[in-house]
């Protein structure tokens, strides 16, 4: 009987798969590790939320931990995990040095979710009304922290092929410490497609996205102020339903039923909402990673209209399941065309199935991922020997986060 392998996941938040793509991504990772014999403990310093998943029901031990507190050291020594997965670079900054000191043999993995520095640099360029350029990343403060975190870890999961390219070509990261891992879903069959609501049984446009995520809030503003007036002018009976977790008061104030613009708040079941809609609208102007809402639309058989930023790295060279356009007038025109033309709609729907089955299949990535992790567990010393920049960043003169944490802990005791 093989020895049980222990995985410790340190979460930025407790997983909320019904609130965000990040929550869904985390549950995908948990499933992969469980299927491959890992016993999982999920720890986080975040407060519990009403919408967090019941980890115990998945056979996962839940552990609340504290920031800047040596109680974590005692916890991790006792647990003695074989593998530690950090959820976003900020968590690696907080706990990575503690794991390295107390469990030096544990493999350290980082799930970047998306490149935060890319999102930040694009958002900055957008607000300054200029075109984003890759060189902007080199002066982005978040990039210095995020790249350092990637280098300190044994392996980092990168969700987008475009972000893999940036890490290789802009930041010159050794490919041996990177692993391309997009969203992972099951194959979609024609029978499953046929069981989804038909064109004539669907109605309305829809947008869905967590409002704690700045690109989503910006998208809804853009819809309300620019896209929707153009669309309504040529299609007066159109209705748009905007769903999303954690809507603020400024989001709720956009609710305007007389204009067909409805702020619906959190969706009880996002899949059911998207399945009943005829077209997803996602005029995303900045961001990073992959857009969970657009993959979800494909799974629900719902065509979408988005921008180049929205579709980035999501469909290889395959035709999109709808339209991709940055021009506001054409965006509105194509949204109406897709909504009203059944033949066009069905072809777009079929394109979505092809994208799912060629770009996001579990079996394409799962075996390679576990093989890579097992290889690291077998020969981590050699891997780390050749990650010189990573070992450099573990050097005591560069451990500012460690000494800041110790200072905060000492201060809190006084």
């Amino acid at each position: 009987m093989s020895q049980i392998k222990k995985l410790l996941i340190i979460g930025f938040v407790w997983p909320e798969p019904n609130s965000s793509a990040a929550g869904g991504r985390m549950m995908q990772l948990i499933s992969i590790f469980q299927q491959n014999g890992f016993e999982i403990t999920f720890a986080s310093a975040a407060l519990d939320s009403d919408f967090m998943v019941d980890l115990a029901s998945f056979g996962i031990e839940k552990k609340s931990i504290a920031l800047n507190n040596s109680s974590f050291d005692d916890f991790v020594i006792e647990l003695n995990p074989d593998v530690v997965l950090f959820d976003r670079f900020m968590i690696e900054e907080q706990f990575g040095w503690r794991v390295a000191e107390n469990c030096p043999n544990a493999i350290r993995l980082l799930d970047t979710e998306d490149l935060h520095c890319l999102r930040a640099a694009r958002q900055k360029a957008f607000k300054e009304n200029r075109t984003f350029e890759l060189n902007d990343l080199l002066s982005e403060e978040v990039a210095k922290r995020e790249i350092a975190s990637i280098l300190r870890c044994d392996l980092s999961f990168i969700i987008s092929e475009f972000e893999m390219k940036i890490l290789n070509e802009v930041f010159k990261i050794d490919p041996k410490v990177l692993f391309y891992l997009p969203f992972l879903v099951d194959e979609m069959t024609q029978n499953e497609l046929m069981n989804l609501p038909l064109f004539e049984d669907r109605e309305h446009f829809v947008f869905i996205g967590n409002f704690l995520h700045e690109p989503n809030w910006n998208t809804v503003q853009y819809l309300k102020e620019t896209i929707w007036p153009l669309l309504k002018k040529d299609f007066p009976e159109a209705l748009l339903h905007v769903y999303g977790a954690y809507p603020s008061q400024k989001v709720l104030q956009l609710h305007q039923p007389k204009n067909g613009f409805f702020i619906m708040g959190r969706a009880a079941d996002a899949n059911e909402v998207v399945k009943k809609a005829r077209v997803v609208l996602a005029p995303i102007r900045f961001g990073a990673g992959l857009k969970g809402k657009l993959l979800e639309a494909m799974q629900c058989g719902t065509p979408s209209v988005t921008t180049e930023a929205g579709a980035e790295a999501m469909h290889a060279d395959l035709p999109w399941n709808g339209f991709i356009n940055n021009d506001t007038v054409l965006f509105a025109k194509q949204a109406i065309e897709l909504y009203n033309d059944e033949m066009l709609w069905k072809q777009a729907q079929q394109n979505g199935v092809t994208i799912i089955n060629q770009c996001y299949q579990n079996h394409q990535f799962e075996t390679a991922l576990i093989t890579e992790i097992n290889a690291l567990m077998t020969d981590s010393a050699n891997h780390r020997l050749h990650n010189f920049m990573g070992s450099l960043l573990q050097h005591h003169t560069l451990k500012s986060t460690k000494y800041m944490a110790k200072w905060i802990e000492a201060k809190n005791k006084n």
Side-chain angles (χ1 to χ4, degrees):
M1 184 175 176
S2 61
Q3 185 180 2
I4 292 174
K5 297 173 286 189
K6 291 183 182 178
L7 168 67
L8 169 63
I9 301 175
I10 309 178
F12 181 68
V13 293
W14 302 107
E16 291 188 26
N18 294 327
S19 298
S20 70
R25 159 82 160 185
M26 180 53 71
M27 297 310 294
Q28 289 170 4
L29 292 175
I30 285 171
S31 175
I32 290 172
F33 281 104
Q34 282 188 321
Q35 287 171 27
N36 286 277
F38 281 84
E39 185 180 87
I40 302 176
T41 300
F42 195 109
S44 179
L47 296 173
D48 286 6
S49 78
D50 293 337
F51 303 101
M52 61 189 280
V53 75
D54 178 10
L55 291 167
S57 69
F58 288 89
I60 299 164
E61 183 182 347
K62 176 179 178 286
K63 173 70 177 179
S64 291
I65 53 177
L67 298 173
N68 305 308
N69 195 304
S70 56
S71 61
F72 177 85
D73 302 348
D74 300 329
F75 157 68
V76 80
I77 288 169
E78 184 179 353
L79 182 64
N80 193 26
D82 300 286
V83 179
V84 178
L85 173 62
F86 303 104
D87 172 25
R88 303 172 174 90
F89 81 90
M90 302 84 80
I91 293 301
E92 189 280 333
E93 283 184 331
Q94 280 283 345
F95 296 100
W97 65 270
R98 292 186 184 275
V99 171
E101 284 193 357
N102 295 295
C103 300
N105 295 324
I107 299 304
R108 299 186 297 273
L109 307 176
L110 172 65
D111 185 31
T112 57
E113 292 288 356
D114 58 35
L115 280 185
H116 292 66
C117 61
L118 177 60
R119 177 152 38 94
R122 281 178 164 164
Q123 185 171 338
K124 185 177 179 182
F126 172 78
K127 290 188 174 179
E128 293 174 358
N129 197 28
R130 59 179 176 81
T131 302
F132 164 77
E133 296 180 359
L134 287 178
N135 278 346
D136 291 343
L137 292 166
L138 298 174
S139 59
E140 179 56 53
E141 281 301 309
V142 173
K144 298 175 178 66
R145 295 170 55 199
E146 189 166 26
I147 298 305
S149 182
I150 288 170
L151 288 168
R152 284 191 297 265
C153 289
D154 295 308
L155 195 67
S156 291
F157 303 156
I158 311 302
I159 202 168
S160 155
E161 287 183 312
F162 179 66
E163 294 179 5
M164 286 288 282
K165 181 181 170 74
I166 285 173
L167 290 168
N168 287 324
E169 297 180 6
V170 178
F171 294 112
K172 315 298 183 188
I173 304 292
D174 186 343
K176 289 187 178 67
V177 301
L178 305 175
F179 191 92
Y180 170 56
L181 193 68
F183 292 126
L184 301 179
V185 298
D186 294 328
E187 181 181 4
M188 188 167 185
T189 65
Q190 288 302 313
N191 280 342
E192 287 174 305
L193 184 63
M194 289 171 63
N195 287 329
L196 292 171
L198 301 172
F199 174 85
E200 59 267 25
D201 296 328
R202 295 169 179 250
E203 59 181 358
H204 312 321
F205 294 97
V206 71
F207 171 84
I208 192 162
N210 187 320
F211 288 110
L212 296 179
H213 193 53
E214 180 66 23
N216 287 336
W217 162 235
N218 181 270
T219 297
V220 172
Q221 285 179 296
Y222 187 42
L223 273 167
K224 181 68 166 62
E225 296 165 6
T226 306
I227 303 290
W228 194 243
L230 291 169
L231 196 151
K232 282 289 280 185
K233 181 181 176 184
D234 293 331
F235 189 12
E237 60 269 41
L239 299 180
L240 172 62
H241 291 165
V242 175
Y243 287 87
Y246 302 106
S248 64
Q249 193 57 42
K250 61 184 180 181
V251 175
L252 297 173
Q253 286 175 350
L254 298 181
H255 185 64
Q256 195 175 15
K258 287 183 179 178
N259 197 33
F261 198 96
F262 294 82
I263 302 295
M264 309 296 289
R266 178 185 287 272
D269 186 329
N271 259 279
E272 286 304 309
V273 164
V274 179
K275 281 177 186 175
K276 291 174 181 175
R278 191 176 288 180
V279 174
V280 167
L281 300 181
I284 298 162
R285 291 190 283 186
F286 57 83
L290 301 180
K291 310 305 179 288
K293 62 178 67 61
L294 295 176
L295 179 59
E296 180 180 54
M298 296 178 208
Q299 292 177 288
C300 293
T302 312
S304 62
V305 187
T306 189
T307 55
E308 289 175 7
E312 180 181 271
M314 287 207 64
H315 61 118
D317 294 322
L318 299 168
W320 188 248
N321 72 317
F323 291 106
I324 301 169
N325 211 308
N326 289 351
D327 181 272
T328 53
V329 174
L330 286 176
F331 189 102
K333 180 183 176 184
Q334 289 171 339
I336 296 169
E337 187 181 359
L338 190 57
Y339 191 97
N340 291 320
D341 187 329
E342 184 174 358
M343 291 297 291
L344 182 67
W345 187 90
K346 285 183 175 178
Q347 182 57 58
Q349 186 185 62
Q350 191 64 56
N351 291 348
V353 174
T354 303
I355 292 169
I356 288 171
N357 292 342
Q358 291 195 27
C359 299
Y360 299 100
Q361 287 308 292
N362 282 309
H363 61 80
Q364 291 180 7
F365 301 96
E366 184 177 327
T367 302
L369 172 63
I370 295 300
T371 299
E372 185 87 8
I373 291 169
N374 285 335
L376 284 171
M377 292 171 66
T378 303
D379 194 15
S380 61
N382 186 55
H383 177 82
R384 289 171 180 174
L385 179 66
H386 289 89
N387 180 14
F388 180 76
M389 294 304 293
S391 62
L392 178 70
L393 288 166
Q394 293 288 357
H395 193 264
H396 70 88
T397 58
L398 297 176
K399 287 187 174 178
S400 60
T401 51
K402 170 183 173 177
Y403 295 114
M404 175 60 77
K406 285 184 172 292
W407 180 80
I408 292 171
E409 183 177 10
K411 184 171 178 285
N412 288 342
K413 286 178 180 177
N414 294 333

